Structures are given as structure tokens and as C-alpha cells.
Amino acid sequence: MYDSRALRDTPDAISAEDRVRLKSAVMLRTWKVTILYEEMIVRYGELPYLLVRLAELRAALGSPVLAASLYTKAYEALSNTGIHDTRLDSFMQGFVPDTFAKAEDLHTSSLEVHYYQPWKKTREFSFPLDICPLPSGFESLETDRSYLTSEPEVLRKYLRLLIVETNHIEDTFLLTTECTHDIIRQGVSQARIMPEYESEILEDDIIRSVLNDTLEVMI
């Protein structure tokens, strides 16, 4: 626990809505929380409160150098205002210099390694020649494809479903079931965009743009 108010208490500059988002972030996966704090820094600037928490997340994700850089920024910002925090000071005395020293050692050793691979013509490489047999049931896929291509409206609706589910799977954003059905029926431009509360992206125009880009790739 940080002992200075600057690192312990949520800054007044952060809106009530964003305070709720930060408080509920404990229910999200680490990488999603990281994206949230990056968004907060873009919105509110490099507040020490946000920097140290993003540093902790970066360290948890296996990026100690990035974490050390963020701790350093937070430390310098607090020092300029005459504030010191015991926990942050301990990071600056141990974790930060140790991390930078290890990174420098790795950089130095990497300069001593020379990689070389002799060039060969493409025809001289050995590529696999055996093609795996098609899985059972592939005939039904061909039948379904033929049906879709023969029914343009069905195909359009199917593609709309695919672009929504694709972005759900990739965690780009999360839309309500009602919104998904609306997009399938009316199309991206006419449908009402209704993201779930935990969606990473909430802005209508960004979601429509991503959906249209995904659809363009599929077509």
C-alpha cells in the first residue's frame, strides 16, 4: 500500500464515471486492465496515481523495463512537488536500477552475437509435399456454401453475424445480443450500436468503423 495520498487516493481530476470503471476493473483480466489504465493516461495525463498502477500491470505481464520506466516517471513527478512515498522509494532503490542494469547487460551481450545464414534458392529448400486429407463432414460445408452464394440476402446477413462474432472473439468490443440481431437485420449503418458495459470500446463511430473494416476484409 502506498502511503502518500497522491498514490493512494484516486485523483480529483478523474470523472465519476471513470472512477467506477477503475473500481470495477478488478473483475477484468490483467491485459484488459492495462488497456484501461493506458486509456486513462491518454485522457488525464501522466498522473503518478495512474503511472504506478500501470507499472504494476506491466510488471505482472512480464515487461519489467516498461514498468521501471513508469515508476521513474511517477517518482520524478512526485519529487518535483516535494512528495515522497516509501513504497515507491523502495522500487527506485531496488527494482528500477536492477531492471535497467539487467537490460543494459542484455543489450551489451546482444552486440557481441553475430547471426549468419547462408542464402539458398527457394527451389533448394525442402517443403512438405503431403496434403492432409479433408476432415469428415466437409461435404456439408460445401452444400452450405453453395446455398449461401445462391441467396445473396442470406449471405449478407451471415457475413454481418460473422463480423460481430469475429470482434467478440478478438475482444475488440462486446455488443449486446439485441444489437447483434439489429446489425444482422438492418446492416451496420442502420443498426443502433449498444455495447455491453464491460466492452473495451464504447464509442458508436469507432465500433461501426471496425465492423465495416472487418466486413470489407471478408468480402
Side-chain angles (χ1 to χ4, degrees), residues 203-214:
E203 295 81 3
D204 290 12
D205 56 338
I206 297 178
I207 292 175
R208 289 186 200 277
S209 177
V210 172
L211 288 172
N212 283 325
D213 288 345
T214 309

Side-chain angles (χ1 to χ4, degrees), residues 114-120 125:
H114 300 283
Y115 175 77
Y116 174 75
Q117 178 177 346
W119 181 85
K120 290 199 307 183
F125 281 91

